[in-house]
Every structure is written in structure tokens, then in C-alpha cells.
Amino acid sequence: MTTKDPLLQAAAQVLARSNALVIGAGAGMGVDSGLPDFRGRHGFWKAYPAAQKLGLSFSELANPAWFFKDAHLAWGFYGHRSNLYRATQPHVGFSILLEWAERMPLGAFVITSNVAGHFQKAGFHEDSVLEIHGSLNWWQCTDLCTTEPFPASTETITVDEERLHAQPPLPSCPHCGALARPNILMFGDSEWISDRSDAQGRRFASWLGKVPLGTLAVVELGAGLSIATIRRGCENLIDVKRARLIRINPGDHETPPGHLGINGGAAETLKALDELWNSRP
């Protein structure tokens, strides 16, 4: 990727002329940090060979029913993910986005489907992040003794990766001692406590309401078509706020007319854009 690319130059110009920024991030944002890509059954099985032995796809395993049918398997999967996300450092693109956010006169807000908490880990303030599917850094009680999520334990969950089986003690609710589960939206999930994400959504709406029409840039990264919530949310801002959309994706980067789709990974594209923006007079 070269900074002479006219699409990159146009994107840098959009950013330089904007007063506010929305960052929309899908699963592809984390790939450059070394996190696994779960795209398709085989992408998931590459990351979790034990799931292939069990014949389970991502959507079949990421289901709250397992916390009642086989809690050790459920926490084998989510415990491994939690351990991995905590041990992984966000790639340089997160720091670049944080610098851009701090440059914007009206600030910035992140909307993400990722549950790793990496935007906060990279320095984004908790009050400027909307995690639409929740976060692995927060848990909830499976007995619903409380309707409030609580911070996840910082203890590492021991997992037998050959069997995808968590070793006792399993995470528990600090209020009643019942089994805990991640406070994230799973497939077929009717018991997800969305209070924390709902509050984030209200903060986003309040911030967005203060952004004048035509002054907002939207940078979307790694948001695919299979679960298109982030893509739809970013495109909606075109109509609501007359925003300019910059869609960055190594595939599926097409945009509505008049907007910018860049075929590239998150980290490399953000570095090139940052270089262009910093070199502007």
C-alpha cells in the first residue's frame, strides 16, 4: 500500500476536514493484533481444533445453553478466549485511532462488535466506547440473582485445550455463588443482560446529537457482511448526519456512492493514512 493511492489521499482529506469521528470496528480489526479469524467453520476450527472434534461450529458453541448443559465446555471456550484477549496487545492501529480521536474538535466515539475490550486497553475512555455485543471483561449471573453485570475476575481460567475443557473452580457470581457467564450477546441468547451496552448506546446518542450535520467522518474497519450490524450502523450515519464513510477491509470494501472503500488491512491502512494526514501542510 502506497501513500500515492488516490483513495488514501481522499480519505486523509476527509479526516483533516472533519470535526468529529466515529470508529466502527468489526472482527477484522483484531486480526492484525494476532487474534484468530473465525470466518467460516474451517476458520473457527483452525483456532479451536477441539471444536472440530466435537463437530461444533462457532455459532453452535457460542450459545448460552452450554452453560447449563456442559459448563466446563462453555468456559473452556470462553475462558480460552478471555485468556487470549487479555494476553494480546492491541496493534498500532488502535494508537493511531486514539491520536485521531484526540485531534477532533468534537471528539470521537467507538462502536464495535468486538468483545475483547481492546479499545479501552489501548487508551480509549470507557465513556466513548459502545460495545454492541457486550464484553468478555464483564460477567453476569446464570441464575439472574442480579440484573446488573459485574467486572470479570482477573484470574486466569485454566483450560485443557485438547478437550476445550475448563478446570475448576469455574467462574461464579460474587453475589450468590451461582455459575457466572460472560456478559456478551451469544447466539439464541434470551438472557443477555444488555444494561451496560444500553447505557453505552445512550451516551453515544447524546454525543452524536451534538455533532453538526456534515462534520462527521466515519472510519469503519474489518466489518464483514455475515453479521453486518457495524456496517449498517456506519452507513446509517450517512443519512442521519451526512457523514463521510471510509470503509477499510481486505474484502467487502464496497461503499454507497460518494464514499471511500479501501481494500486493505486495518493496521497497514491506518499507518498509511496517518502518514498522509501528518504530512499535510
Side-chain angles (χ1 to χ4, degrees), residues 21 24 27 40 234 259 265:
L21 175 67
C234 289
H259 298 271

Side-chain angles (χ1 to χ4, degrees), residues 237-259:
L237 294 172
I238 295 172
D239 299 323
V240 173
K241 284 293 177 180
R242 295 212 303 265
R244 290 295 305 278
L245 172 64
I246 302 167
R247 173 167 285 155
I248 300 169
N249 206 326
D252 302 326
H253 57 277
E254 297 78 9
T255 67
H259 298 271

Side-chain angles (χ1 to χ4, degrees), residues 50-65:
Q52 183 173 10
K53 295 177 185 177
L54 296 168
L56 295 170
S57 67
F58 176 77
S59 61
E60 290 166 333
L61 187 53
N63 188 302

Side-chain angles (χ1 to χ4, degrees), residues 123-143:
F124 282 84
H125 194 280
E126 177 75 20
D127 288 347
S128 65
V129 180
L130 166 54
E131 294 159 304
I132 62 171
H133 293 161
S135 171
L136 278 172
N137 293 324
W138 290 78
W139 293 348
Q140 66 181 69
C141 179
T142 56
D143 278 357

Side-chain angles (χ1 to χ4, degrees), residues 1-249:
M1 180 170 293
T2 170
T3 53
K4 295 182 179 180
D5 186 323
L7 277 174
L8 287 174
Q9 293 178 352
Q13 188 174 61
V14 167
L15 290 165
R17 291 177 175 176
S18 299
N19 288 327
L21 175 67
V22 165
I23 300 159
M29 180 63 179
V31 171
D32 289 337
S33 299
L35 296 178
D37 182 0
F38 294 156
R39 187 174 300 176
R41 292 178 77 92
H42 292 286
F44 174 59
W45 287 342
K46 182 179 179 181
Y48 290 96
Q52 183 173 10
K53 295 177 185 177
L54 296 168
L56 295 170
S57 67
F58 176 77
S59 61
E60 290 166 333
L61 187 53
N63 188 302
W66 289 110
F67 287 93
F68 301 96
K69 292 194 296 185
D70 188 341
H72 291 276
L73 174 63
W75 271 114
F77 175 50
Y78 282 109
H80 181 273
R81 286 182 72 188
S82 296
N83 296 341
L84 175 63
Y85 293 168
R86 289 177 183 177
T88 300
Q89 291 301 312
H91 62 74
V92 65
F94 285 86
S95 298
I96 291 170
L97 289 170
L98 181 60
E99 291 177 5
W100 293 358
E102 292 170 345
R103 287 186 201 179
M104 291 290 169
L106 299 178
F109 219 102
V110 175
I111 54 173
T112 181
S113 59
N114 296 335
V115 298
H118 277 188
F119 279 98
Q120 293 93 327
K121 191 173 185 177
F124 282 84
H125 194 280
E126 177 75 20
D127 288 347
S128 65
V129 180
L130 166 54
E131 294 159 304
I132 62 171
H133 293 161
S135 171
L136 278 172
N137 293 324
W138 290 78
W139 293 348
Q140 66 181 69
C141 179
T142 56
D143 278 357
L144 298 177
C145 76
T146 174
T147 57
E148 293 184 4
F150 44 87
S153 168
T154 58
E155 296 295 322
T156 298
I157 299 169
T158 304
V159 177
D160 178 350
E161 296 185 24
E162 290 293 321
R163 295 190 297 150
L164 202 57
H165 190 275
Q167 304 298 314
L170 298 180
S172 61
C173 173
H175 304 290
C176 71
L179 182 71
R181 53 158 276 188
N183 180 233
I184 63 174
L185 179 62
M186 304 177 195
F187 291 88
D189 198 347
S190 62
E191 295 190 337
W192 177 48
I193 298 173
S194 64
D195 295 27
R196 179 173 172 270
S197 294
D198 292 342
Q200 292 176 332
R202 289 191 292 272
R203 286 195 293 270
F204 174 57
S206 175
W207 173 82
L208 190 64
K210 300 170 187 174
V211 177
L213 295 176
T215 65
L216 177 67
V218 179
V219 177
E220 179 196 291
L221 304 120
L225 291 169
S226 57
I227 301 176
T229 315
I230 294 296
R231 290 174 74 98
R232 288 194 298 267
C234 289
E235 289 182 6
N236 184 55
L237 294 172
I238 295 172
D239 299 323
V240 173
K241 284 293 177 180
R242 295 212 303 265
R244 290 295 305 278
L245 172 64
I246 302 167
R247 173 167 285 155
I248 300 169
N249 206 326

